[in-house]
Amino acid sequence: MQNSEAMALSAALLAAAGGLTHRIHEGVVARGFEGLRPAHGFAFARLAPDGATVTDLAVHLGVTKQAASQLVDEMVRKGYAERRPHPGDARARLIVLTGRGWECTRAAEEAAAEAVREWEDVLGEPVLRTLREQLPRIAPRGPVRPTW
């Protein structure tokens, strides 16, 4: 593959990922979940299903503990998450989704399904199935991180 082809593919994949993030965010807002940014969705993904510490969240998001703590403060203030005692570490606090946080997570899943259905309308089911099967082979093994 020539450099220009590689750059075109890179740009298309990044645009698809950015578009998907935008569509999910729009879908969440349209379902009544205000005051959130796409970065919150990346945090929700780490908090579900069992919660996480601020340190865990910082590693997942690729940010400092201070930045993760600020994000958690915001999510708690807005009623999407709460702090609980950590069952295995008396010094740590476990951040977990509240009922509202779980409702928002389900709204994001619905919005993602709608966006992917549109991809299927454009590409067809066989191509979408191939994407679903093949992209994980080249995707990073670590967490999906937001672009700040």
Side-chain angles (χ1 to χ4, degrees):
M1 178 179 286
Q2 296 180 359
N3 288 347
S4 59
E5 290 173 331
M7 285 303 295
L9 177 59
S10 299
L13 286 170
L14 290 169
L20 181 59
T21 300
H22 182 74
R23 288 290 311 280
I24 293 169
H25 180 69
E26 283 181 336
V28 166
V29 170
R31 287 166 172 83
F33 297 94
E34 297 289 332
L36 297 172
R37 301 182 314 273
H40 290 102
F42 290 99
F44 283 20
R46 177 60 184 91
L47 296 177
D50 299 322
T53 65
V54 168
T55 301
D56 296 333
L57 194 56
V59 169
H60 176 77
L61 297 173
V63 299
T64 64
K65 286 193 292 186
Q66 291 80 5
S69 184
Q70 289 175 353
L71 187 67
V72 168
D73 289 344
E74 187 178 358
M75 291 169 55
V76 167
R77 193 172 52 255
K78 293 178 180 185
Y80 293 106
E82 64 184 10
R83 292 178 177 88
R84 293 185 181 165
H86 193 288
D89 183 350
R91 299 167 298 159
R93 303 286 285 165
L94 191 63
I95 315 305
V96 298
L97 295 177
T98 62
R100 182 157 174 76
W102 281 107
E103 290 171 11
C104 185
T105 299
R106 286 188 290 277
E109 290 172 352
E110 292 170 5
E114 289 172 2
V116 171
R117 274 194 297 276
E118 289 181 14
W119 289 358
E120 185 174 358
D121 292 344
V122 172
L123 300 173
E125 193 278 328
V127 172
L128 189 62
R129 182 180 45 227
T130 299
L131 278 174
R132 201 171 34 250
E133 293 168 356
Q134 297 302 317
L135 281 178
R137 294 179 62 201
I138 60 171
R141 296 290 182 245
V144 177
R145 294 187 171 135
T147 55
W148 296 85

